[in-house]
Amino acid sequence: MRVAIQGEPGAFSDAAARQLLGEAVELVCCAENREVTRQLAAGGVHAAVLPIENSLAGSVFATYDAILAEPAIVAVGQTVLPIRHCVLGIPGATLGDLRTVESHPVALAQCRAFLETHPHLVAHATHDTAGSARLVRAAGDRSRAAIASAHAARVYDLAVLAAGVEDRPDNRTRFLLLRSTRDAPGAAPAAPGGAPPGAPAQTMLVYTTANVPGALLRTLEPLAERGMNMVRIESRPAGEPWTYQFIVEFEHTADPSAVQAVIAAIAPHTRGVRHVGTFARAAAAG
Amino acid sequence: MRVAIQGEPGAFSDAAARQLLGEAVELVCCAENREVTRQLAAGGVHAAVLPIENSLAGSVFATYDAILAEPAIVAVGQTVLPIRHCVLGIPGATLGDLRTVESHPVALAQCRAFLETHPHLVAHATHDTAGSARLVRAAGDRSRAAIASAHAARVYDLAVLAAGVEDRPDNRTRFLLLRSTRDAPGAAPAAPGGAPPGAPAQTMLVYTTANVPGALLRTLEPLAERGMNMVRIESRPAGEPWTYQFIVEFEHTADPSAVQAVIAAIAPHTRGVRHVGTFARAAAAG
């Protein structure tokens, strides 16, 4: 099974893809999140795995935008991984030798306290945690380090100069498993993917509201009336300045007809509702 | 008047500061948004100006986090600037000479179409649009360009190789004017800053809700009941995984007692409401 991720072998997305789909996945590594969903929509891969949210850094806009740009992909599953960052350098180097650390900006944002207490280190943003490890290895420069996983240290034969440099030890990232509506008719929005009836499920919807007072509120009331807990609301620019696409996630017990009823109740207050997917709730996402 | 901004002379934040406070401002240029609010809270500057939202790239998380980290600063005003990006190179260079373009990641995100149609250009993220122009000038390398304003081209003596490279010509950024509660008692949260009674005003609140179904909805109902239009809702991680601080902005006619009444109605559903500020609505923000 070919699975697109953003990043390189040894990235946290690699670990998430294996957890969701098994060790036999064939990774298709992309530089950008947008390229991941483009490949999926074009049929170049069977599935994709992208980080949607980190417990310290918040929403991953690049993933939201990559999903919004491709109407024919659906979210069919999710997983939450603990994220433990390490400072990886050339074997033999010490923290004192370092001048720069490089990593994905979301990873750097999770290590703010470490960077503030090591002001001699200049942080450089890159495309990927594991890709940074590869570049540090290739350069062979003792003054350069990457922030990436301990697994990436093994993949790229680097030394762990400091471990657990994330700001909180309970640092976690939630990843979505995405399919194409063409390849995964059984995972189409109308059916909850992987959540048997009655099981804890979660649904993601996207819509734009009319620009009138209370319009967004009226789209949330159908959830509250049914005791469905909205767990996330995110907004992304919809084109015209100061118009937004809202991305809402709510928890419920798996029941396709209940989800369809909520969508029908919300729709009149929007310019159309996209059902991105319904999938099993992630235990660790609590 | 000393005013802290993120970025360097010639940055869009420089133009926003001059529009809000006049040409006589003395800029204090910071590399990070967080440093801007730290300086303001410590009394090192009289005011600060930070971008909160771009119409193409969306919310500026770094500004939200910088405000959330300093409880003793208040928002007292806002302005909206049109953002027109140019590709700036060494005089004599052409687009065909270029190999890399560098700019702030939010600026790069606003020029996605241009970058996709010029795949030979590798984009590098930097701290600042104007700072990138300065670096390109200093390097004197005809293969390097910055994405920044036409004003930055004049400041740093660079050539405009392409103008209007943003994805939409109506690209705009909204900037907040921030003061310290100590230096600006007249601008303290209880009083609408700069909006006379009855004028179009806008209020920003921050709170964390209890983690029970419908809790966020109950904090929004007091706005809808009063016909106040919620124009923004943003969430940022609150510490514990999957807990959030919600940042809500709503429009109303300036009336301090009405704002206090809304806060009193919302508070029981939260762990405390921070009134970040009430300020005049920006005409161009629609």
Side-chain angles (χ1 to χ4, degrees):
Chain A
M1 180 183 247
R2 286 164 56 84
V3 181
I5 64 166
Q6 190 275 325
E8 304 192 14
F12 291 102
S13 291
D14 172 0
R18 286 170 204 286
Q19 184 162 107
L20 283 160
L21 298 166
E23 289 295 326
V25 295
E26 177 192 347
L27 290 185
V28 175
C29 294
C30 302
E32 303 283 355
N33 300 43
R34 182 68 191 90
E35 175 62 16
V36 168
T37 57
R38 196 180 278 131
Q39 286 248 10
L40 181 59
V45 295
H46 302 102
V49 173
L50 283 173
I52 187 83
E53 182 185 10
N54 171 264
S55 60
L56 285 168
S59 294
V60 183
F61 280 171
T63 294
Y64 279 103
D65 292 348
I67 293 171
L68 293 175
E70 295 292 352
I73 66 175
V74 286
V76 299
Q78 64 177 338
T79 191
V80 173
L81 290 191
I83 303 293
R84 190 170 163 85
H85 288 300
C86 300
V87 177
L88 309 185
I90 299 298
T94 67
L95 274 184
D97 294 332
L98 300 180
R99 291 293 166 268
T100 63
V101 286
E102 49 211 274
S103 194
H104 192 284
V106 175
L108 295 173
Q110 293 161 28
C111 304
R112 213 171 283 175
F114 175 82
L115 293 171
E116 287 184 0
T117 54
H118 294 75
H120 72 290
L121 297 180
V122 177
H124 290 305
T126 63
H127 280 299
D128 181 36
T129 56
S132 301
R134 180 177 56 76
L135 292 171
V136 165
R137 171 82 270 178
D141 178 344
R142 293 163 63 101
S143 76
R144 279 175 67 175
I147 288 181
S149 68
H151 177 61
R154 292 188 290 274
V155 171
Y156 297 104
D157 190 24
L158 290 170
V160 175
L161 307 186
V165 295
E166 65 278 2
D167 289 349
R168 287 178 61 110
D170 53 5
N171 187 29
R172 284 169 171 68
T173 295
R174 184 162 73 99
F175 294 85
L176 289 185
L177 172 61
L178 304 170
R179 303 291 297 265
S180 158
T181 49
R182 178 186 46 207
D183 294 343
Q202 189 164 335
T203 288
M204 180 185 283
L205 305 179
V206 174
Y207 50 79
T208 298
T209 61
N211 187 22
V212 296
L216 177 59
L217 185 79
R218 280 195 284 274
T219 67
L220 305 180
E221 283 167 345
L223 303 176
E225 286 162 6
R226 290 162 176 79
M228 294 171 165
N229 190 23
M230 178 172 65
V231 289
R232 294 287 297 141
I233 180 166
E234 195 50 82
S235 54
R236 296 297 299 149
E240 288 294 313
W242 324 126
T243 63
Y244 305 96
Q245 296 184 79
F246 293 100
I247 305 98
V248 171
E249 284 187 81
F250 56 95
E251 297 176 340
H252 53 93
T253 52
D255 174 353
S257 67
V259 172
Q260 289 309 315
V262 163
I263 291 173
I266 290 174
H269 309 292
T270 72
R271 298 173 191 165
V273 178
R274 174 178 168 196
H275 183 179
V276 179
T278 296
F279 36 85
R281 216 173 298 166
Chain B
M1 180 183 244
R2 287 164 56 83
V3 180
I5 64 167
Q6 190 274 326
E8 303 193 14
F12 291 103
S13 290
D14 173 0
R18 286 170 205 287
Q19 183 163 108
L20 283 160
L21 298 166
E23 289 295 325
V25 296
E26 178 192 347
L27 290 186
V28 175
C29 294
C30 303
E32 303 283 355
N33 300 43
R34 183 66 191 90
E35 176 62 17
V36 169
T37 57
R38 196 180 279 132
Q39 287 249 8
L40 181 59
V45 294
H46 301 103
V49 173
L50 283 173
I52 187 84
E53 182 184 10
N54 172 263
S55 60
L56 285 169
S59 294
V60 183
F61 279 171
T63 293
Y64 279 104
D65 291 349
I67 293 172
L68 293 175
E70 295 291 353
I73 66 175
V74 286
V76 299
Q78 65 176 337
T79 190
V80 173
L81 289 192
I83 303 293
R84 191 170 162 84
H85 288 300
C86 300
V87 177
L88 310 184
I90 299 297
T94 66
L95 274 184
D97 294 332
L98 300 180
R99 292 294 166 267
T100 64
V101 287
E102 49 211 275
S103 195
H104 191 282
V106 175
L108 294 173
Q110 293 161 29
C111 303
R112 213 171 283 177
F114 174 83
L115 293 171
E116 286 184 1
T117 55
H118 295 76
H120 71 290
L121 298 179
V122 177
H124 290 305
T126 63
H127 280 298
D128 181 36
T129 57
S132 301
R134 180 176 57 76
L135 291 171
V136 166
R137 171 81 272 179
D141 177 344
R142 293 163 63 100
S143 76
R144 279 174 66 175
I147 287 183
S149 68
H151 177 61
R154 292 188 290 275
V155 170
Y156 297 104
D157 190 24
L158 290 170
V160 175
L161 306 185
V165 296
E166 65 278 1
D167 289 348
R168 286 178 63 111
D170 53 5
N171 187 28
R172 285 169 171 69
T173 295
R174 184 162 72 97
F175 295 84
L176 289 185
L177 172 61
L178 304 170
R179 303 292 296 267
S180 159
T181 49
R182 179 185 46 206
D183 295 341
Q202 189 164 334
T203 288
M204 181 185 281
L205 304 180
V206 174
Y207 49 79
T208 298
T209 62
N211 187 21
V212 297
L216 178 59
L217 185 80
R218 280 195 284 274
T219 67
L220 305 179
E221 283 169 344
L223 303 176
E225 286 163 5
R226 290 162 176 78
M228 295 171 167
N229 190 22
M230 179 173 64
V231 288
R232 295 286 296 139
I233 180 167
E234 195 50 82
S235 54
R236 297 296 299 147
E240 288 293 314
W242 325 124
T243 64
Y244 305 96
Q245 296 184 79
F246 293 100
I247 304 97
V248 171
E249 285 187 80
F250 55 95
E251 297 176 339
H252 54 92
T253 53
D255 174 352
S257 66
V259 172
Q260 289 310 314
V262 163
I263 292 173
I266 290 174
H269 308 293
T270 72
R271 297 174 192 165
V273 179
R274 173 176 169 196
H275 184 181
V276 179
T278 296
F279 37 85
R281 217 174 297 165

